[in-house]
Amino acid sequence: MTATENPTNYKWVGTRPIRHDGFDKVVGKARFGADLNLPGQLHGAFVRSPHAHARIVSIDTSAAEAMPGVKAVVTGDDFPALDPTHPNYDTAVNCMARGEAFYHGHAVAAVAATTKAEAKAAAAAVEVEYEVLPAVLSIADSMADGAPLANPNNHTKFAPPGDPSNLATITNLARGDVDQAMADADVVVEMGFDCAHVHQGYIEPHACVVDYGDGKANVWCSSQGHFRVRSMTADVLGVDNSKVKVVPAEIGGGFGGKTTIYLEPIAAKLSEKSGKPVKITMTREEVLRGSGPAPSAELRIKIGATKDGELTAIDGWMAYGVGAFSDMAGLIGAMSVASYKFPNLRMETYTALTNTPKSAAYRAPSAPHAAWAIESVVDEIATELGMDPIDLRLKNAAVEGDLTAMGMPHPRVGLVECLEALKASDHYQSVPAEGTSRGMAVGFWFNIGEESSATVNLNEDGTANVITGSPDIGGSRASMALMAAETLGIDVYSITPIVADTESVGFTDVTEGSRATFATGKAVVEACEDLIEQLKARAATIMGVDVGEVAWVDGAAVSPGHGGGEGGDPLTLAQITAQAKRTGGPLTATASLNAAGAGPSFAVHCADLKVDEETGEIEIVRYTAVQDAGTAIHPSYVEGQMQGGSVQGIGWALNEEYIYNADGAMENASFLDYRIPVASDLPLIETIIVEVPNPAHPYGVRGVGETGIVPPMATIGNAVKAATGVRMTSLPMSPPKVLKRLNER
């Protein structure tokens, strides 16, 4: 379902063609990271720390090197030492420990052998002597006075030089007079919240194959950005970018978790030492123990309001636990406070290190935590004032010109339209089914632009190849083809979208921040517009007219003053390309840009649920997601992103969490014990697409991939409050937690 503002009638944009890569994926022909096998390849296996924090006293690899099939062993000593100020220092040390292991599961050595079994056996034979160090396992412990250092190489960013610290960032934001506004408020609600670490839960584990020869690493891997894989791998190896080529495989899910590297430089070094290609595929346990979950968080939010529902002030404290290496989660958390006007605001945010795996992005990183707290408090205010929760939010919703917490004015945004769409929906207008209760909440994500390149080649038969450097993690091939088809005026199936390697297309930033359809799409459109000018010039030559007399209409050149092409008909793109050789040669265009104007995106979710008061189990009965897509280039994939984000947020709300023992070892490192939602856990996720076009994109695009995960936790928490009278403040809202709170009533 789509609710639109100023809809434009496009021929291709907004339609739902079958995705160009769909057949290969359905029949199993698509090749993912673990699907490449090279002649003579070896298999790699890691040695990982059994301690949350320990000094590596010694590593003896002699026994492993003597074992059958073993061709190479590497440790941190095999890699160049980067200065701690190097931008990829943390990445290098996270890939392979250097003198100190910072979390349980931190890689300390790796081996390559002829078979997986031989590699695993040899890894077990590597002897490592550790000196166990104090481990910091919680945000509170990390921020306590006199706390041991989780990582002695960390210094607080954006602060004067000082001693090592457990704080990666400190962000203080303020406007107005918060204290006076709170004193004047008719209603003040203050509450504390917490969130556990959760994993993105991608089904495909990290995998790569690297063939190192003649001083160059040829890398095949799944990632969200192979240019970033190239630069990070080159930095860890201490070589120039030109010495690393990355060929993108298909990607079986990433959600932010595959924007960094864990394997590639290790496989490259093993390949260099052995002279053979090396393949490494993580096990599921390794993925959970040794890759990046979303941060944990502790939050305190206080909001004041007048009796007629104006939110006058917010006073917030947010701390994010990001694992053993620096991160900017706290700063990004502050950036995500942007849904309401709040004339008076004070926000303190912190990023704290712990001896757990380095956190990674997870769909709108840091925003779900903030929304969980703020939207819960806003709902409490609506209850105290006796207001409909949508009406309260409509009264305070951010519109164009209103300031975010960071002090940046919003451009044209669609929060009001999303709230109105939900309020008018069949779901919200219906009476909750007997035994169910309803909750709703708002989510925001700012989206980003960054650098993208695209090349469009026209073929002799009038078809086109659209070549980009953005891995397709959400249907972007189809989106690029649709925008190219719309711009050129040809059939979408006349276009072949290609994701090219790092030597075959211009630099393109990683697919993150919901940027691909926006930024890479702009590059595609610019390249197509360049081609149209070339086509008009070629048509002018064929027609024998001045190029200024030629227009491009519906995929053809027309010259009204000269009757169009031969026989007076328009000269189609295919007719022009068929004569390209005699009119000037191949028709091709490239566009590269640093995209500005990524439109912020809002989502509004609504859930009906039941709470079993004997077990604490929560059952989601009905769920609706409303989101502003700007313009939905391919509505089916927009709906899929909305549904996927909702489902992941439901898992985050109800079940998912990292459980650590007292020694800092994860106790649920499998999909049996770390439980993500499956189809039988969920209702159909209903979707309503709102379209408030982003004026900074030729087709009005706003990124949609991330915003959908922001509202679900608060949506469900608000529905639980309506059902039971109990306000849940700790994620996940698992049955034991819910039952405990119910028994405390």
Side-chain angles (χ1 to χ4, degrees), residues 686-709:
E686 302 169 49
T687 59
I688 300 173
I689 301 173
V690 171
E691 293 184 304
V692 178
N694 174 13
H697 188 277
Y699 292 117
V701 167
R702 300 179 192 273
V704 299
E706 297 179 87
T707 315
I709 202 172

Side-chain angles (χ1 to χ4, degrees), residues 174-307:
R175 65 170 175 258
D177 189 335
V178 171
D179 293 332
Q180 187 62 51
M182 292 293 183
D184 294 341
D186 298 309
V187 174
V188 176
V189 175
E190 182 175 12
M191 303 182 72
F193 300 85
D194 67 79
C195 316
H197 290 288
V198 295
H199 199 272
Q200 300 85 355
Y202 35 81
I203 302 304
E204 180 204 25
H206 297 270
C208 73
V209 178
V210 182
D211 190 4
Y212 199 107
D214 194 25
K216 185 172 185 176
N218 292 285
V219 181
W220 163 283
C221 67
S222 297
S223 80
Q224 291 181 232
H226 40 295
F227 284 90
R228 179 177 287 183
V229 171
R230 180 184 69 176
S231 61
M232 285 183 162
T233 300
D235 283 350
V236 176
L237 294 174
V239 301
D240 293 336
N241 282 0
S242 62
K243 298 300 183 182
V244 179
K245 175 183 177 180
V246 183
V247 180
E250 297 295 338
I251 180 170
F255 315 111
K258 291 179 182 172
T259 57
T260 189
I261 61 171
Y262 302 98
L263 310 176
E264 290 79 4
I266 312 306
K269 185 59 68 173
L270 289 168
S271 177
E272 181 185 22
K273 292 186 75 172
S274 66
K276 300 283 187 179
V278 173
K279 181 176 186 175
I280 304 179
T281 303
M282 278 189 173
T283 65
R284 181 61 56 190
E285 180 178 351
E286 285 183 299
V287 169
L288 290 167
R289 292 193 192 280
S291 69
S296 61
E298 302 280 347
L299 313 99
R300 294 196 299 271
I301 299 295
K302 180 180 181 180
I303 296 177
T306 64
K307 60 185 176 182

Side-chain angles (χ1 to χ4, degrees), residues 16 20 23-24 47 86 227 256 313 359 363 396 449 469 473 486 488 492 561 578 582 636 665 670 716:
R16 302 172 185 255
H20 295 66
F23 179 81
D24 283 352
V47 181
H86 190 285
F227 284 90
S359 65
R363 242 180 169 150
N396 297 279
I473 66 172
E486 191 70 48
L488 293 172
V492 72
R582 74 174 184 84
S636 294
S670 74
I716 293 168

Side-chain angles (χ1 to χ4, degrees), residues 95-151:
C95 285
M96 184 66 72
R98 321 289 173 88
E100 200 167 321
F102 291 115
Y103 56 90
H104 183 280
H106 194 176
V108 299
V111 302
T114 306
T115 68
K116 290 181 181 179
E118 289 171 334
K120 185 176 179 180
V126 173
E127 298 179 4
V128 186
E129 181 183 352
Y130 297 96
E131 176 191 343
V132 178
L133 300 173
V136 177
L137 300 177
S138 71
I139 293 171
D141 289 345
S142 177
M143 298 182 69
D145 291 340
L149 292 173
N151 184 336

Side-chain angles (χ1 to χ4, degrees), residues 385-401:
L385 294 175
M387 289 185 68
D388 180 278
I390 291 183
D391 289 341
L392 176 66
R393 289 166 170 85
L394 277 169
K395 186 178 183 70
N396 297 279
V399 298
E400 185 175 2

